[in-house]
Amino acid sequence: MLSIYFGDMPEAIYDPATYFKNQLKDSWITDPLSKEMIRDVDHSEVIGPHVIDSPVFGGISPRDLSGGVKTLILINQLPSMVFNASACGDNCAPWLLRIGENKDITVNLRHIMDFGSGDFVIHVINTDIIVRNSRELVLIASDYVR
């Protein structure tokens, strides 16, 4: 299940991009879910663990991926750790929900992310309440972030 803590969370990794740069493993990039996320969010194709084909930049290193994809990969690969998902854009929200369908993950958000108009299940740690849609989520999140 996806759990979210809104606002300042000292134990969260605040700068996922730097953490990714220093901890990156080849297997993270070649993982099938990582490849899907890279294709969807960055519109790029994984050629191998060290080369990604970007339609904008050509061949790039995994270290040059967007902050959102780096954060998603970290969340998926290291589910026991908490990362600042405010490094992600709203285009990453469906991926957070998808990862949370298969693993228990906790993320820190310092803004209100748009999880769309559909139904979902998210545990809000601040209140220990399960929310099932964006309206319920925004009502709670607005007490903790601006």
Side-chain angles (χ1 to χ4, degrees):
M1 173 183 286
L2 171 60
S3 295
I4 297 173
Y5 185 89
F6 287 103
D8 187 39
M9 185 181 196
E11 64 269 30
I13 305 291
Y14 179 74
D15 185 2
T18 298
Y19 191 90
F20 183 89
K21 176 181 157 187
N22 291 309
Q23 301 298 320
L24 177 60
K25 296 185 180 358
D26 290 351
S27 62
W28 293 358
I29 302 304
T30 57
D31 176 82
L33 187 62
S34 293
K35 288 180 175 182
E36 284 185 62
M37 292 186 296
I38 291 166
R39 183 177 303 117
D40 180 55
V41 176
D42 282 4
H43 310 291
S44 299
E45 294 295 325
V46 173
I47 304 302
H50 304 283
V51 180
I52 311 240
D53 184 25
S54 163
V56 176
F57 303 110
I60 61 170
S61 161
R63 288 179 171 82
D64 296 320
L65 291 166
S66 70
V69 168
K70 290 176 189 176
T71 304
L72 289 172
I73 290 170
L74 287 168
I75 291 166
N76 185 52
Q77 294 296 322
L78 304 170
S80 64
M81 297 184 73
V82 179
F83 293 94
N84 171 21
S86 286
C88 298
D90 289 338
N91 59 339
C92 295
W95 290 103
L96 291 173
L97 292 171
R98 183 167 167 189
I99 295 167
E101 288 173 359
N102 299 310
K103 299 177 182 181
D104 288 331
I105 57 170
T106 299
V107 300
N108 177 227
L109 279 175
R110 294 154 193 245
H111 77 287
I112 299 174
M113 183 174 274
D114 183 359
F115 284 93
S117 59
D119 292 334
F120 51 73
V121 177
I122 294 175
H123 173 234
V124 179
I125 296 170
N126 305 69
T127 58
D128 197 27
I129 293 176
I130 304 284
V131 295
R132 301 192 184 281
N133 58 56
S134 287
R135 183 179 179 280
E136 292 175 0
L137 183 68
V138 168
L139 286 173
I140 293 172
S142 62
D143 287 340
Y144 299 96
V145 296
R146 298 185 193 273

